[in-house]
Amino acid sequence: MSVINIQDQLNLLGLSKENSGTKIGNSSIKGGSVIQSHSPVDGSLIGAVDTTTKEGYEAVMKSAEEAFKSWRVTPAPLRGEIVRQFGERLRTLKAPLGALVSYEMGKSLQEGLGEVQEMIDICDFAVGLSRQLHGLTMHSERPGHRMYEQYHPLGIVGIISAFNFPVAVWSWNTALALICGDVCVWKPSEKTPLCGVACQKILADVLEENSIPAGVSSLINGDYAVGEWMTEDPRMALISATGSIRMGKIVAQKVAARLGKSLLELGGNNAIIVTPDADLKMTLMGAVFGAVGTAGQRCTSTRRLIVHSTKYEAVKDALIKAYGQLKIGNPLDSSMHMGPLIDTDSVNNYLNAIEKATKEGGKVIVPGGVLEGGAYNSGCYVRPTIIEAQNHFEIVQEETFAPILYLIKYDGDVNNAIEIQNGVKQGLSSAIMTNNLREAEAFLSVAGSDCGIANVNIGTSGAEIGGAFGGEKETGGGRESGSDAWKVYMRRQTNTINYTTELPLAQGITFDL
């Protein structure tokens, strides 16, 4: 077994055993209590990060406000040049940063490297976008008038990210916010704080080398209390929050109470529909990666497999065989398919979900359980499980961040399957496996999938940065990454110019003096 030496990777990233968790650019601010980061891979202490105090938070916000004054008037293509250099630096540090993501979060090394590649991709996307932040020109009803709209920076963008994608989601927000002229304040998950410190340093180095104000990018750390400072702060023009539905509802209410803007990326309960015309090999690949990748800790993980009765037994048999071949272990070993869950709390949630499913009448067809001893001494390794279930089960209606796949049978046409798929409160990602054009189009139609992402003949995971990412219903309605998601980070302004010597009013109104 060839496993990467993680200490070598930390040295390349400039991380030490003790790190400041409050940063304005590269400048450290004295913090409070300490967060220790233990790897779920082997339980080892990776390093520690001190938390942000109220005084430190105020210093960050004042610096961000000041930096915004000059950053917003920097031409957008020049802002794009900074993001381009950031992307190049990520290319150089892809290997060590990917290894850190894998070791601190627990996802496979290939997925860790893939997450850094997402960062690089969004930088490339943002660089091109920095020359295309365009509005529209409209015809005025008044002669001698010109109307158009333009977009201006919002201000300070507060980013609250989750542990499962500890670097990519931050970069989705940051790359777009920066080219839009905003400045960023980031609170990473307290479960993956070192990934936050590493990314802040990479970007801060680029800012420093280009004499850009340090307050353009800042880092804060802590628990929910630090997040509350952000959500309640009217200086935060936009709060972009990724996490649970419970967390998102709190954020939405607090930000709405001050009439601020929020971008929410919350839970998913994603399904793949398998119709009689599905390709079994493609179905198997999409379902297994979707359910097992990142140990089921993606918001786009496949939770439900909705299979037509004519395909049901064949799909079940193939899944049982495939799960028997999965390798679980140290994610830094490239031969492993699945690493650990993030912590023992997640393990307990996983065990409780299996117990609830069986109590509700579910039948376990691939047993789960906790792996113990030897290489599994962190207590965070579990076996992926498959349970035959019904969509109405209370536990099936919930999102469990673990490798649990519910196998659900349907009869009739594809509309019955779509109804089952849509019959949950979340609406993030969805997929259908079929070679039938009519079924595919029905799935994508207005009466089809109610999710923000709907795929045909691919799984629910693995979104590309070119498309807008996000979901509907209790997934929050937010959109990040590609397409026109950049507009969230800007304010729209309509302009009318009168180039005549007269002052006609709209709608033909007369007002004589």
PDB file of all heavy atoms in Angstrom, residues 378-394:
ATOM      1  N   SER A 378      -9.929   4.841  14.198  1.00  0.00           N
ATOM      2  CA  SER A 378     -10.544   6.154  14.448  1.00  0.00           C
ATOM      3  C   SER A 378     -12.006   6.029  14.844  1.00  0.00           C
ATOM      4  O   SER A 378     -12.595   6.973  15.369  1.00  0.00           O
ATOM      5  CB  SER A 378     -10.438   7.031  13.194  1.00  0.00           C
ATOM      6  OG  SER A 378     -11.271   6.544  12.150  1.00  0.00           O
ATOM      7  N   GLY A 379     -12.603   4.865  14.581  1.00  0.00           N
ATOM      8  CA  GLY A 379     -14.013   4.670  14.903  1.00  0.00           C
ATOM      9  C   GLY A 379     -14.968   5.316  13.932  1.00  0.00           C
ATOM     10  O   GLY A 379     -16.171   5.410  14.187  1.00  0.00           O
ATOM     11  N   CYS A 380     -14.449   5.772  12.771  1.00  0.00           N
ATOM     12  CA  CYS A 380     -15.275   6.513  11.810  1.00  0.00           C
ATOM     13  C   CYS A 380     -15.557   5.741  10.519  1.00  0.00           C
ATOM     14  O   CYS A 380     -16.202   6.269   9.614  1.00  0.00           O
ATOM     15  CB  CYS A 380     -14.597   7.841  11.469  1.00  0.00           C
ATOM     16  SG  CYS A 380     -14.408   8.963  12.865  1.00  0.00           S
ATOM     17  N   TYR A 381     -15.078   4.508  10.445  1.00  0.00           N
ATOM     18  CA  TYR A 381     -15.282   3.714   9.229  1.00  0.00           C
ATOM     19  C   TYR A 381     -16.543   2.854   9.359  1.00  0.00           C
ATOM     20  O   TYR A 381     -16.751   2.189  10.379  1.00  0.00           O
ATOM     21  CB  TYR A 381     -14.084   2.803   8.982  1.00  0.00           C
ATOM     22  CG  TYR A 381     -12.831   3.536   8.576  1.00  0.00           C
ATOM     23  CD1 TYR A 381     -11.945   4.023   9.531  1.00  0.00           C
ATOM     24  CD2 TYR A 381     -12.537   3.740   7.236  1.00  0.00           C
ATOM     25  CE1 TYR A 381     -10.786   4.692   9.164  1.00  0.00           C
ATOM     26  CE2 TYR A 381     -11.376   4.401   6.854  1.00  0.00           C
ATOM     27  CZ  TYR A 381     -10.511   4.885   7.826  1.00  0.00           C
ATOM     28  OH  TYR A 381      -9.370   5.544   7.454  1.00  0.00           O
ATOM     29  N   VAL A 382     -17.369   2.873   8.314  1.00  0.00           N
ATOM     30  CA  VAL A 382     -18.585   2.067   8.306  1.00  0.00           C
ATOM     31  C   VAL A 382     -18.710   1.335   6.971  1.00  0.00           C
ATOM     32  O   VAL A 382     -18.057   1.700   5.984  1.00  0.00           O
ATOM     33  CB  VAL A 382     -19.847   2.935   8.535  1.00  0.00           C
ATOM     34  CG1 VAL A 382     -19.766   3.676   9.860  1.00  0.00           C
ATOM     35  CG2 VAL A 382     -20.055   3.920   7.378  1.00  0.00           C
ATOM     36  N   ARG A 383     -19.538   0.320   6.966  1.00  0.00           N
ATOM     37  CA  ARG A 383     -19.839  -0.391   5.725  1.00  0.00           C
ATOM     38  C   ARG A 383     -21.024   0.285   5.036  1.00  0.00           C
ATOM     39  O   ARG A 383     -22.029   0.579   5.692  1.00  0.00           O
ATOM     40  CB  ARG A 383     -20.196  -1.846   6.009  1.00  0.00           C
ATOM     41  CG  ARG A 383     -19.074  -2.692   6.573  1.00  0.00           C
ATOM     42  CD  ARG A 383     -19.527  -4.151   6.697  1.00  0.00           C
ATOM     43  NE  ARG A 383     -18.502  -4.983   7.323  1.00  0.00           N
ATOM     44  CZ  ARG A 383     -18.388  -5.165   8.627  1.00  0.00           C
ATOM     45  NH1 ARG A 383     -19.245  -4.576   9.459  1.00  0.00           N
ATOM     46  NH2 ARG A 383     -17.427  -5.931   9.115  1.00  0.00           N
ATOM     47  N   PRO A 384     -20.956   0.514   3.745  1.00  0.00           N
ATOM     48  CA  PRO A 384     -22.129   1.025   3.032  1.00  0.00           C
ATOM     49  C   PRO A 384     -23.222  -0.032   3.035  1.00  0.00           C
ATOM     50  O   PRO A 384     -22.941  -1.229   2.933  1.00  0.00           O
ATOM     51  CB  PRO A 384     -21.606   1.303   1.621  1.00  0.00           C
ATOM     52  CG  PRO A 384     -20.398   0.446   1.482  1.00  0.00           C
ATOM     53  CD  PRO A 384     -19.805   0.315   2.849  1.00  0.00           C
ATOM     54  N   THR A 385     -24.455   0.406   3.172  1.00  0.00           N
ATOM     55  CA  THR A 385     -25.569  -0.529   3.294  1.00  0.00           C
ATOM     56  C   THR A 385     -26.664  -0.210   2.286  1.00  0.00           C
ATOM     57  O   THR A 385     -26.809   0.944   1.852  1.00  0.00           O
ATOM     58  CB  THR A 385     -26.146  -0.505   4.721  1.00  0.00           C
ATOM     59  OG1 THR A 385     -27.156  -1.493   4.849  1.00  0.00           O
ATOM     60  CG2 THR A 385     -26.746   0.847   5.062  1.00  0.00           C
ATOM     61  N   ILE A 386     -27.420  -1.234   1.921  1.00  0.00           N
ATOM     62  CA  ILE A 386     -28.581  -1.062   1.043  1.00  0.00           C
ATOM     63  C   ILE A 386     -29.796  -1.628   1.761  1.00  0.00           C
ATOM     64  O   ILE A 386     -29.746  -2.746   2.311  1.00  0.00           O
ATOM     65  CB  ILE A 386     -28.395  -1.783  -0.301  1.00  0.00           C
ATOM     66  CG1 ILE A 386     -27.133  -1.279  -1.011  1.00  0.00           C
ATOM     67  CG2 ILE A 386     -29.612  -1.581  -1.204  1.00  0.00           C
ATOM     68  CD1 ILE A 386     -26.830  -2.001  -2.318  1.00  0.00           C
ATOM     69  N   ILE A 387     -30.886  -0.883   1.753  1.00  0.00           N
ATOM     70  CA  ILE A 387     -32.104  -1.277   2.464  1.00  0.00           C
ATOM     71  C   ILE A 387     -33.294  -1.165   1.524  1.00  0.00           C
ATOM     72  O   ILE A 387     -33.526  -0.106   0.932  1.00  0.00           O
ATOM     73  CB  ILE A 387     -32.336  -0.385   3.707  1.00  0.00           C
ATOM     74  CG1 ILE A 387     -31.119  -0.453   4.645  1.00  0.00           C
ATOM     75  CG2 ILE A 387     -33.610  -0.796   4.430  1.00  0.00           C
ATOM     76  CD1 ILE A 387     -31.191   0.507   5.814  1.00  0.00           C
ATOM     77  N   GLU A 388     -34.031  -2.244   1.366  1.00  0.00           N
ATOM     78  CA  GLU A 388     -35.297  -2.167   0.634  1.00  0.00           C
ATOM     79  C   GLU A 388     -36.292  -1.399   1.495  1.00  0.00           C
ATOM     80  O   GLU A 388     -36.460  -1.705   2.682  1.00  0.00           O
ATOM     81  CB  GLU A 388     -35.819  -3.565   0.333  1.00  0.00           C
ATOM     82  CG  GLU A 388     -34.960  -4.325  -0.681  1.00  0.00           C
ATOM     83  CD  GLU A 388     -35.535  -5.689  -1.015  1.00  0.00           C
ATOM     84  OE1 GLU A 388     -35.645  -6.523  -0.094  1.00  0.00           O
ATOM     85  OE2 GLU A 388     -35.862  -5.914  -2.194  1.00  0.00           O
ATOM     86  N   ALA A 389     -36.942  -0.405   0.902  1.00  0.00           N
ATOM     87  CA  ALA A 389     -37.778   0.499   1.704  1.00  0.00           C
ATOM     88  C   ALA A 389     -38.937   1.044   0.876  1.00  0.00           C
ATOM     89  O   ALA A 389     -39.069   0.752  -0.320  1.00  0.00           O
ATOM     90  CB  ALA A 389     -36.924   1.639   2.248  1.00  0.00           C
ATOM     91  N   GLN A 390     -39.747   1.835   1.547  1.00  0.00           N
ATOM     92  CA  GLN A 390     -40.840   2.562   0.907  1.00  0.00           C
ATOM     93  C   GLN A 390     -40.570   4.057   1.022  1.00  0.00           C
ATOM     94  O   GLN A 390     -40.020   4.518   2.029  1.00  0.00           O
ATOM     95  CB  GLN A 390     -42.182   2.220   1.567  1.00  0.00           C
ATOM     96  CG  GLN A 390     -42.581   0.759   1.462  1.00  0.00           C
ATOM     97  CD  GLN A 390     -42.864   0.338   0.035  1.00  0.00           C
ATOM     98  OE1 GLN A 390     -43.433   1.108  -0.743  1.00  0.00           O
ATOM     99  NE2 GLN A 390     -42.466  -0.879  -0.319  1.00  0.00           N
ATOM    100  N   ASN A 391     -40.949   4.800   0.013  1.00  0.00           N
ATOM    101  CA  ASN A 391     -40.642   6.229  -0.002  1.00  0.00           C
ATOM    102  C   ASN A 391     -41.277   6.981   1.157  1.00  0.00           C
ATOM    103  O   ASN A 391     -40.751   7.999   1.621  1.00  0.00           O
ATOM    104  CB  ASN A 391     -41.092   6.851  -1.327  1.00  0.00           C
ATOM    105  CG  ASN A 391     -40.373   8.156  -1.629  1.00  0.00           C
ATOM    106  OD1 ASN A 391     -39.156   8.185  -1.751  1.00  0.00           O
ATOM    107  ND2 ASN A 391     -41.126   9.244  -1.739  1.00  0.00           N
ATOM    108  N   HIS A 392     -42.414   6.483   1.671  1.00  0.00           N
ATOM    109  CA  HIS A 392     -43.119   7.208   2.724  1.00  0.00           C
ATOM    110  C   HIS A 392     -42.515   6.981   4.105  1.00  0.00           C
ATOM    111  O   HIS A 392     -42.919   7.634   5.073  1.00  0.00           O
ATOM    112  CB  HIS A 392     -44.606   6.824   2.752  1.00  0.00           C
ATOM    113  CG  HIS A 392     -44.840   5.396   3.128  1.00  0.00           C
ATOM    114  ND1 HIS A 392     -45.014   4.406   2.180  1.00  0.00           N
ATOM    115  CD2 HIS A 392     -44.918   4.771   4.339  1.00  0.00           C
ATOM    116  CE1 HIS A 392     -45.199   3.243   2.800  1.00  0.00           C
ATOM    117  NE2 HIS A 392     -45.136   3.441   4.103  1.00  0.00           N
ATOM    118  N   PHE A 393     -41.550   6.060   4.241  1.00  0.00           N
ATOM    119  CA  PHE A 393     -40.914   5.856   5.538  1.00  0.00           C
ATOM    120  C   PHE A 393     -40.365   7.200   6.037  1.00  0.00           C
ATOM    121  O   PHE A 393     -39.773   7.961   5.275  1.00  0.00           O
ATOM    122  CB  PHE A 393     -39.757   4.867   5.443  1.00  0.00           C
ATOM    123  CG  PHE A 393     -40.158   3.425   5.267  1.00  0.00           C
ATOM    124  CD1 PHE A 393     -41.485   3.040   5.189  1.00  0.00           C
ATOM    125  CD2 PHE A 393     -39.176   2.438   5.185  1.00  0.00           C
ATOM    126  CE1 PHE A 393     -41.843   1.708   5.009  1.00  0.00           C
ATOM    127  CE2 PHE A 393     -39.513   1.102   5.015  1.00  0.00           C
ATOM    128  CZ  PHE A 393     -40.856   0.736   4.930  1.00  0.00           C
ATOM    129  N   GLU A 394     -40.544   7.442   7.314  1.00  0.00           N
ATOM    130  CA  GLU A 394     -40.088   8.708   7.887  1.00  0.00           C
ATOM    131  C   GLU A 394     -38.580   8.900   7.691  1.00  0.00           C
ATOM    132  O   GLU A 394     -38.124   9.989   7.341  1.00  0.00           O
ATOM    133  CB  GLU A 394     -40.422   8.752   9.383  1.00  0.00           C
ATOM    134  CG  GLU A 394     -40.080  10.073  10.051  1.00  0.00           C
ATOM    135  CD  GLU A 394     -40.483  10.103  11.510  1.00  0.00           C
ATOM    136  OE1 GLU A 394     -41.346   9.298  11.909  1.00  0.00           O
ATOM    137  OE2 GLU A 394     -39.925  10.932  12.251  1.00  0.00           O
TER     138      GLU A 394
END
